[in-house]
Amino acid sequence: MATSRSETGKPAPYKPRHPEKTPFFAVLYHHFDEFKAAHEERFQKEYGRWRAVIDKVVGKYFQCGVFLGGFARLKCPDCGAEKLLALSCKTRGFCPSCGTKRAVLWAEFVQEKVLKPVDRRHVVFTLPKLLRPYFKFHRDLLPHLCLCAWNALGEYFKASISKDAMPGAILTINTAGEFLNWMPHIHGLVACGGFLPNGDFESASAIDAKTVRELFQAKVFSILLEKGLIGHELVEKITSWKHTGFDAWIGPPITDTKEIVQIGMCTVRAPAASGRLIVDDGPRVKYFAKGTRPDRDIGGLFGPPSQSLDYLDWIARLTLHIPDRGCQLTHYMGVYSNAHRGKQADRESTPHSDASPGRARSEPEGDWIKARRKSWARLIQQVYEADPLLCECGSKLKVISVIEARTQSDVVGKILVSIKFVFEVFQLPAHPPPVPVGSPEPDSGSADFYYF
Ligand SMILES: [Zn+2]
Ligand SMILES: [Zn+2]
């Protein structure tokens, strides 16, 4: 990753990040076709049917940050230097680099457009292991899980604050555990109370985790029963356990907007981090726990927590978390919802009743991000602390043209030949013999950590 600041503290010129030199890229690049061919026999039972969205997202990722996908041509008006800047894939829930940029944009969006200056809490809703697979094989249920969390919070607040006070929350669906095991859970940034019609905020004294958890549990059961996926016997069995496996973790109140946004950013970026994956003996790859640095922390008797997987198992884990097309992962509820923010914008912008309603509709996240993403140079600077438009001579580079391989593959090809571009992907050790069918399942990772 190109993260260098000059000694003056100003951003340094951006250096290409070369994702193709990482094991993360290389495993996919060298073994994705093999994974796809083996999917039905080896992975379908545990991971579900092949999804077309996997081909699409991985295909785009292969062209992210590498010149093959296209580039912007930059030229310095002073020294005449020319540079190419590779385009990015902008995929959701997969590409670590684009996920980080997306998280930066999201943070700007919620700070500017959504969050109100009241106490909020970070909350996390989790499910028993026994129920998690239903959300893997019926992914359309994931947004319902979000709704269960929201309704549990809403019902709780209804009983503890004024009837006309409306709560607000940003809820995000996450499907990955610490080592990318399947662990659907909901992260929420929740206003600790409700907003009255006059705009005042009414605080709720505390949020009782047990009550919220019980409400959430009842709602999840009712959805699975309604869909005919489970029977009443299973509900009785789980509720008879001392620890049902349902949880509603309620964090302390947070006043500082930056702090709550930082927490939120961790829940909206891509599930996997490229820097946490290294090549292991075997040949396999090793994925490290959050907060550890494989390049720095690897010594010692035990080393930091990690899991070793063969190449295809790793790809299966990684691609499991690509969201289905059209599946909204972040939901804005109550006073934070689009509709409510739109009404409020109407009120604020139309003091006279003859103004047409809906005129000042609040922008949804997607539109806002699309518009803001156009300032890509600023975004790269924020993520990599390096300025893509800064020439080595200190002047500002100008964008001459943007050439996408999707529409102008011949032009891309010609330019790459002219600069003698060679695409060299990181070389992995040879692949181990395939696992015979019927051999024990590899450890599917039961670690019960939230992924941040
Ligand atoms: Zn220059
Ligand atoms: Zn990307």
Side-chain angles (χ1 to χ4, degrees), residues 64 89-90 95 98:
C64 182
C89 68
K90 299 176 196 74
C95 172
C98 292

PDB file of all heavy atoms in Angstrom, residues 64 89-90 95 98, ligand 2:
ATOM      1  N   CYS A  64      -8.743  -4.276 -10.686  1.00  0.00           N
ATOM      2  CA  CYS A  64      -8.724  -3.142  -9.760  1.00  0.00           C
ATOM      3  C   CYS A  64      -7.293  -2.756  -9.388  1.00  0.00           C
ATOM      4  O   CYS A  64      -6.545  -3.579  -8.869  1.00  0.00           O
ATOM      5  CB  CYS A  64      -9.505  -3.482  -8.498  1.00  0.00           C
ATOM      6  SG  CYS A  64      -9.573  -2.122  -7.324  1.00  0.00           S
ATOM      7  N   CYS A  89     -12.134  -1.014  -8.849  1.00  0.00           N
ATOM      8  CA  CYS A  89     -13.283  -1.836  -9.259  1.00  0.00           C
ATOM      9  C   CYS A  89     -14.607  -1.420  -8.625  1.00  0.00           C
ATOM     10  O   CYS A  89     -15.660  -1.714  -9.157  1.00  0.00           O
ATOM     11  CB  CYS A  89     -13.010  -3.314  -8.955  1.00  0.00           C
ATOM     12  SG  CYS A  89     -12.942  -3.734  -7.195  1.00  0.00           S
ATOM     13  N   LYS A  90     -14.542  -0.796  -7.472  1.00  0.00           N
ATOM     14  CA  LYS A  90     -15.735  -0.292  -6.754  1.00  0.00           C
ATOM     15  C   LYS A  90     -16.733  -1.400  -6.406  1.00  0.00           C
ATOM     16  O   LYS A  90     -17.932  -1.139  -6.300  1.00  0.00           O
ATOM     17  CB  LYS A  90     -16.440   0.812  -7.550  1.00  0.00           C
ATOM     18  CG  LYS A  90     -15.560   2.012  -7.793  1.00  0.00           C
ATOM     19  CD  LYS A  90     -16.247   3.027  -8.664  1.00  0.00           C
ATOM     20  CE  LYS A  90     -15.274   4.027  -9.218  1.00  0.00           C
ATOM     21  NZ  LYS A  90     -14.414   3.475 -10.293  1.00  0.00           N
ATOM     22  N   CYS A  95     -13.511  -6.280  -2.401  1.00  0.00           N
ATOM     23  CA  CYS A  95     -12.190  -5.679  -2.645  1.00  0.00           C
ATOM     24  C   CYS A  95     -11.757  -4.853  -1.425  1.00  0.00           C
ATOM     25  O   CYS A  95     -12.430  -3.894  -1.055  1.00  0.00           O
ATOM     26  CB  CYS A  95     -12.265  -4.803  -3.882  1.00  0.00           C
ATOM     27  SG  CYS A  95     -10.767  -3.840  -4.151  1.00  0.00           S
ATOM     28  N   CYS A  98     -11.145  -0.989  -2.310  1.00  0.00           N
ATOM     29  CA  CYS A  98     -12.374  -0.242  -2.578  1.00  0.00           C
ATOM     30  C   CYS A  98     -13.265  -0.193  -1.342  1.00  0.00           C
ATOM     31  O   CYS A  98     -13.996   0.773  -1.133  1.00  0.00           O
ATOM     32  CB  CYS A  98     -13.127  -0.854  -3.759  1.00  0.00           C
ATOM     33  SG  CYS A  98     -12.221  -0.616  -5.299  1.00  0.00           S
TER      34      CYS A  98
HETATM   35 ZN    ZN B   2     -11.347  -2.573  -5.975  1.00  0.00          ZN
END
